[in-house]
């Protein structure tokens, strides 16, 4: 059995996608079989007909020639791995759940495959907003120890859905410790946002500070979030708002997650039109987002909607 590849770095902006999204371990793809070739013969392009005396030509049969039967297709073996591949390609939660459960019934002593199949069930529960079941499955993944920080991130997301802030924060702190270095800033920033919107701005300041230290590409984004948390905590922001706005508007991610941060900073600067534009763009990008992504950004979405209401007053 070919060992599935480990998933790409997760983000709360997608289990994912699922599958988280999304970047997940075992993100296999499988091509459909090519169409069978036509059994009938074809003349070579440009072939010239032979010149023959009609009297010498053999009589042509008017009876139709039956086409040769196509060989039967080989059935795909129903193994744990093929079930995982089908679950990954599933278009509905019901289909994903069916293949994940079938794969779990067929898996042998393979903790990695078990964890990958459990993650498919986890994504089904998130889609259905059954956060209690999702947390239970994520905790099974954590116990297996195969998916590392990904399982911790998944458990944190499900705990967020249940408003278990301390449980979610605990999983994120562990995720930040056990993850590869290039994902550490992301986990600390996720922790910072969770704590800020959970009413713990001073703890959020520390988390965003760690995210800034570990980041290489989005340090200005984490510094801006740190400054906002400092303001919430009654502290003097470490950077002035105008400088933060200028640095964020130069970020490549300024077209995505940073939009809501820019919206809040512009509101503080008194630029209501720019604030409204950034916040509206941020929310519009999430209009077709999966339930898992909306859960991951629940605090940001609520903050953006509240600011827009204030700007419209």
């Amino acid at each position: 059995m070919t060992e599935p590849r480990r998933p790409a770095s997760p983000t709360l902006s997608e289990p994912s996608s699922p599958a988280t999204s999304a970047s997940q371990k075992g993100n296999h793809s499988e091509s459909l079989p090519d169409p069978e070739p036509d059994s009938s013969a074809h003349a070579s392009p440009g072939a010239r007909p032979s010149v023959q005396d009609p009297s010498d030509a053999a009589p042509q049969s008017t009876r139709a020639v039956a086409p040769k039967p196509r060989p039967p297709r080989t059935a795909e073996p129903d193994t744990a791995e093929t079930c995982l591949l089908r679950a990954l390609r599933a278009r509905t939660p019901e289909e994903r759940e069916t293949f994940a459960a079938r794969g779990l019934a067929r898996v042998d002593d393979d903790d990695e495959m078990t964890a990958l199949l459990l993650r498919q069930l986890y994504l089904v529960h998130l889609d259905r907003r059954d956060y209690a079941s999702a947390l239970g499955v994520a905790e099974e993944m954590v116990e297996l120890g195969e998916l590392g920080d990904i399982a911790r991130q998944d458990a944190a997301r499900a705990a967020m859905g249940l408003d278990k802030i301390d449980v979610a924060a605990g999983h994120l702190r562990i995720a930040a410790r056990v993850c590869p270095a290039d994902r550490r800033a992301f986990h600390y920033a996720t922790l910072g946002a969770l704590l800020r919107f959970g009413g713990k701005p001073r703890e959020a300041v520390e988390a965003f500070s760690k995210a800034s230290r570990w980041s290489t590409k989005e340090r200005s984004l984490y510094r801006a979030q740190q400054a906002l948390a400092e303001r919430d905590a009654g502290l003097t922001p470490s950077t002035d708002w105008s400088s933060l706005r200028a640095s964020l508007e130069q970020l490549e991610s300024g077209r995505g997650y940073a939009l809501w941060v820019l919206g809040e900073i512009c509101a503080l600067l008194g630029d209501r039109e720019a604030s409204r534009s950034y916040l509206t763009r941020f929310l519009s990008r999430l209009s077709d987002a999966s339930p898992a992504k909306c859960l991951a950004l629940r605090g940001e979405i609520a903050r953006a909607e509240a600011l827009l209401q204030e700007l419209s007053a």
Side-chain angles (χ1 to χ4, degrees), residues 90-148:
R91 297 184 179 181
T92 65
E94 292 75 19
E95 187 180 4
R96 186 189 301 271
E97 182 179 36
T98 296
F99 287 121
R102 187 181 299 175
L104 286 169
R106 287 161 173 75
V107 71
D108 294 324
D109 187 15
D110 187 339
D111 287 348
E112 181 182 29
M113 178 59 66
T114 300
L116 293 172
L117 289 163
L118 283 174
R119 191 164 197 271
Q120 297 304 303
L121 285 182
Y122 164 84
L123 294 174
V124 170
H125 295 316
L126 278 193
D127 284 340
R128 294 171 176 169
R129 294 179 173 83
D130 183 357
Y131 303 130
S133 296
L135 180 57
V137 173
E139 288 173 343
E140 288 186 61
M141 292 156 51
V142 168
E143 289 179 6
L144 288 171
E146 292 291 331
L147 301 186

Side-chain angles (χ1 to χ4, degrees), residues 160-163 165 293-303:
M160 287 169 57
L162 297 170
D163 292 322
I165 303 302
K293 187 170 186 177
C294 290
L295 171 62
L297 296 174
R298 185 173 62 175
E300 290 86 341
I301 292 171
R303 182 62 175 160

Side-chain angles (χ1 to χ4, degrees), residues 277-288:
S277 174
Y278 282 128
L279 295 171
T280 302
R281 286 165 57 193
F282 171 71
L283 292 174
S284 66
R285 290 171 64 92
L286 298 171
S287 58
D288 297 326

Side-chain angles (χ1 to χ4, degrees), residues 5-123:
R5 296 176 299 189
R6 290 184 176 269
S9 170
T11 69
L12 283 181
S13 58
E14 175 43 324
S16 168
S17 169
T20 255
S21 15
S23 90
Q24 73 182 48
K25 188 171 186 179
N27 185 15
H28 300 277
S29 62
E30 181 177 284
S31 301
L32 294 174
D34 292 331
E36 298 281 353
D38 190 357
S39 60
S40 60
H42 298 277
S44 302
R48 300 178 63 181
S50 60
V51 179
Q52 184 178 8
D53 188 326
S55 61
D56 296 334
Q60 298 295 319
S61 173
T62 59
R63 187 175 182 180
V65 178
K68 295 179 180 179
R70 295 183 179 182
R73 296 191 179 189
T74 303
E76 190 177 28
D78 202 12
T79 65
E81 184 178 29
T82 57
C83 288
L84 173 61
L85 293 173
R86 290 167 178 164
L88 289 165
R89 297 197 302 264
R91 297 184 179 181
T92 65
E94 292 75 19
E95 187 180 4
R96 186 189 301 271
E97 182 179 36
T98 296
F99 287 121
R102 187 181 299 175
L104 286 169
R106 287 161 173 75
V107 71
D108 294 324
D109 187 15
D110 187 339
D111 287 348
E112 181 182 29
M113 178 59 66
T114 300
L116 293 172
L117 289 163
L118 283 174
R119 191 164 197 271
Q120 297 304 303
L121 285 182
Y122 164 84
L123 294 174

Side-chain angles (χ1 to χ4, degrees), residues 123-313:
L123 294 174
V124 170
H125 295 316
L126 278 193
D127 284 340
R128 294 171 176 169
R129 294 179 173 83
D130 183 357
Y131 303 130
S133 296
L135 180 57
V137 173
E139 288 173 343
E140 288 186 61
M141 292 156 51
V142 168
E143 289 179 6
L144 288 171
E146 292 291 331
L147 301 186
D149 62 308
I150 297 174
R152 293 286 180 177
Q153 183 83 15
D154 287 344
R157 184 181 301 177
M160 287 169 57
L162 297 170
D163 292 322
K164 295 184 176 182
I165 303 302
D166 291 337
V167 174
H171 283 297
L172 289 173
R173 288 190 173 98
I174 296 174
R177 290 201 300 268
V178 303
C179 70
D182 60 354
R183 291 208 290 267
R184 192 155 292 141
F186 166 76
H187 289 309
Y188 276 126
T190 304
L191 174 62
L194 171 71
L195 293 170
R196 183 192 173 202
F197 297 125
K200 299 182 179 182
R202 287 183 179 269
E203 294 181 45
V205 169
E206 181 183 359
F208 284 127
S209 177
K210 291 180 179 179
S212 297
R213 290 199 299 270
W214 282 99
S215 178
T216 56
K217 296 181 179 180
E218 297 190 329
R219 188 165 295 166
S220 56
L221 173 61
Y222 302 143
R223 284 176 175 169
Q225 291 176 278
Q226 178 182 340
L228 291 170
E230 288 169 340
R231 180 179 179 274
D232 291 350
L235 305 173
T236 301
S238 52
T239 311
D240 68 276
W241 303 120
S242 296
S243 298
L244 290 170
R245 176 182 180 178
S247 62
L248 284 178
E249 288 178 333
Q250 296 175 4
L251 267 184
E252 291 182 4
S253 61
R255 298 182 181 87
Y257 180 85
L259 286 171
W260 84 266
V261 183
L262 276 165
E264 187 164 4
I265 289 176
C266 287
L268 292 171
L269 289 169
D271 191 342
R272 298 170 65 89
E273 182 177 351
S275 176
R276 188 180 297 109
S277 174
Y278 282 128
L279 295 171
T280 302
R281 286 165 57 193
F282 171 71
L283 292 174
S284 66
R285 290 171 64 92
L286 298 171
S287 58
D288 297 326
S290 67
K293 187 170 186 177
C294 290
L295 171 62
L297 296 174
R298 185 173 62 175
E300 290 86 341
I301 292 171
R303 182 62 175 160
E305 291 174 340
L307 284 171
L308 281 174
Q309 289 183 352
E310 293 176 12
L311 292 169
S312 301

